Amino acid sequence: MAGQRRSIDLVLPHLRSLDGYEAVDPPEVLAERAGIPASELVKLDANENPYGPSSKVADALASMKDAHLYPDPAQGAMRAAVGRYIGLAPEHVVVGNGSDEIIDLLFRAVLGPGDAVVNSVPTFGMYEFTAQVCGGRIVAVERDDGFRVDVDGVLAAARDQGAKIIAIASPNNPSGNLTPREDIERLLGSGCLVIVDEAYAEFGGASVASLVPERSNLVVLRTMSKWAGLAGLRVGYGLMDVELAEVLMRAKPPYNVNQAAEAALLASLADADALMERVRLIVAERTRMHGLLEAIPGITPLPSEANFILCRLPSGKARDVHERLARRGVFVRYYARGVLADYLRISAGTPSDTDRLIAALTEALQA
Ligand SMILES: Cc1ncc(COP(=O)(O)O)c(C=O)c1O
């Protein structure tokens, strides 16, 4: 009888078998695992900003008066502020519940069942995850041994598979390297929607956002999670062709960015100079951490244009070192599988975070 059908039988088959996204655990869970108070954690596993948001954000949240009203579905104030910050007309901007939501909106707008996304791996997991959610198909093209995008390989895969989307994180998570503008220009020649995810752009200083008005198939993603310390409030944006932006504005959930996130974004952009001072501190700490890591026998840190460093460990050691660090309350990102099995990704934190990391890592490698 139809009335007795199980809800799971109604779910699309490709979603029934979906692996969930491997997200990071919150501090209280990590603290319990390490058996220490959350205040003593060294949390370097999610590329968060150790200095938190601008102090202007707390003021803006405290003076929010209209929480009983829906936020502006047209995102008027946010689109104007982001447009000013980036130097583009507001019509190019779409704001999301994190840039993750912009990935979701773009993929839903473009991918039909079975359509291909070319992914330049290893990279941020959200492109593969979202392609799967949308019933699309991921075509993975390996980066070279310096984690550079194999531009010829990506172009060939896009052509052979009739791909709709090419996704490139620049700087790449987890390798930290930028993709040169010439390579992005070549990828744009494919005619695919080329998504350049610049979540870490403020730490590296390079961006292709200025190409957006002249290159209709380019989308640039940015986020307030990293440089502005707003990961917990969820606000990011996409910069894209005006017609595509109009489609996303119509197709998105109407109130996708809540008022607290909106207030935080506006206060942060008004305080961008102070936030960029902290970005400079984080970049300086990344440089110091790189030197200290390099001095530990067996560790090879890669150069980075982001707020984290990917490190190669002696073969077969990464799992054990990751566990030993966690027992000492130091959390870094471990990948378990594939080409990254011997690597750990470590976010740049405060100077005292780095000192505790280096002490724990030295001990863990000696044990
Ligand atoms: C490359 C990349 N893009 C996007 C995101 C997610 O950004 P948001 O917090 O805006 O969803 C991350 C987060 O780690 C990332 O590494």
Side-chain angles (χ1 to χ4, degrees):
M1 242 167 69
Q4 288 174 350
R5 212 145 141 212
R6 295 182 318 154
S7 53
I8 190 69
D9 297 330
L10 297 166
V11 171
L12 297 170
H14 73 274
L15 289 182
R16 270 182 248 162
S17 56
L18 181 77
D19 289 327
Y21 185 80
E22 245 177 72
V24 288
D25 291 319
E28 52 286 5
V29 173
L30 298 181
E32 199 179 317
R33 198 174 303 151
I36 56 171
S39 57
E40 284 174 26
L41 283 181
V42 176
K43 193 172 180 314
L44 303 176
D45 60 346
N47 304 338
E48 292 146 332
N49 187 321
Y51 299 105
S54 150
S55 61
K56 302 279 172 23
V57 167
D59 300 343
L61 294 178
S63 57
M64 249 177 61
K65 293 204 175 50
D66 293 330
H68 60 299
L69 303 179
Y70 286 102
D72 172 15
Q75 307 180 339
M78 287 192 292
R79 295 177 87 193
V82 168
R84 269 194 307 278
Y85 171 65
I86 297 287
L88 289 179
E91 292 76 16
H92 290 292
V93 181
V94 179
V95 188
N97 188 303
S99 54
D100 284 350
E101 189 188 26
I102 306 293
I103 298 171
D104 187 71
L105 292 173
L106 287 166
F107 280 33
R108 285 201 282 131
V110 171
L111 282 191
D115 281 344
V117 176
V118 183
N119 204 17
S120 187
V121 298
T123 192
F124 181 48
M126 211 59 198
Y127 320 124
E128 178 170 357
F129 171 78
T130 310
Q132 285 169 351
V133 169
C134 291
R137 190 161 47 90
I138 275 282
V139 179
V141 176
E142 292 288 334
R143 288 170 174 252
D144 72 8
D145 52 11
F147 294 103
R148 287 172 291 258
V149 174
D150 171 4
V151 178
D152 290 328
V154 169
L155 287 171
R159 192 184 52 237
D160 296 348
Q161 304 284 333
K164 291 272 198 74
I165 295 177
I166 294 172
I168 304 287
S170 176
N172 187 40
N173 174 7
S175 52
N177 57 316
L178 280 162
T179 295
R181 178 180 282 239
E182 311 82 77
D183 288 358
I184 301 294
E185 298 261 17
R186 285 187 61 209
L187 295 171
L188 286 166
S190 65
C192 293
L193 191 72
V194 177
I195 300 178
V196 181
D197 184 344
E198 296 186 347
Y200 302 98
E202 280 81 358
F203 301 98
S207 172
V208 293
S210 63
L211 294 179
V212 163
E214 56 199 76
R215 305 304 299 256
S216 160
N217 59 330
L218 171 64
V219 175
V220 174
L221 302 181
R222 301 286 284 266
T223 180
M224 302 298 285
S225 295
K226 314 295 180 180
W227 73 282
L230 295 181
L233 280 170
R234 312 301 303 126
V235 60
Y237 51 90
L239 308 164
M240 65 197 81
D241 177 72
V242 171
E243 281 181 325
L244 178 61
E246 280 167 9
V247 170
L248 295 203
M249 289 302 290
R250 289 198 300 271
K252 73 179 176 64
Y255 310 113
N256 62 325
V257 179
N258 70 65
Q259 279 198 31
E262 171 174 351
L265 175 140
L266 296 175
S268 301
L269 292 181
D271 200 25
D273 290 346
L275 286 168
M276 284 307 290
E277 271 306 310
R278 293 169 172 187
V279 165
R280 281 187 274 281
L281 287 181
I282 293 167
V283 169
E285 196 53 27
R286 177 188 80 202
T287 306
R288 187 176 82 95
M289 179 166 82
H290 195 278
L292 293 169
L293 288 167
E294 225 168 13
I296 302 177
I299 305 245
T300 312
L302 271 59
S304 170
E305 302 288 336
N307 65 341
F308 53 82
I309 294 178
L310 188 66
C311 298
R312 199 172 71 234
L313 273 75
S315 176
K317 282 263 188 185
R319 176 192 297 274
D320 188 45
V321 169
H322 174 253
E323 269 167 30
R324 286 172 192 272
L325 290 178
R327 272 187 250 128
R328 289 167 172 80
V330 176
F331 289 87
V332 301
R333 185 70 192 254
Y334 165 60
Y335 294 94
R337 286 182 299 270
V339 289
L340 294 178
D342 288 327
Y343 287 85
L344 295 175
R345 189 198 67 196
I346 308 175
S347 309
T350 61
S352 83
D353 290 339
T354 308
D355 293 343
R356 277 198 50 203
L357 163 82
I358 296 295
L361 199 50
T362 308
E363 259 177 63
L365 279 163
Q366 277 160 2

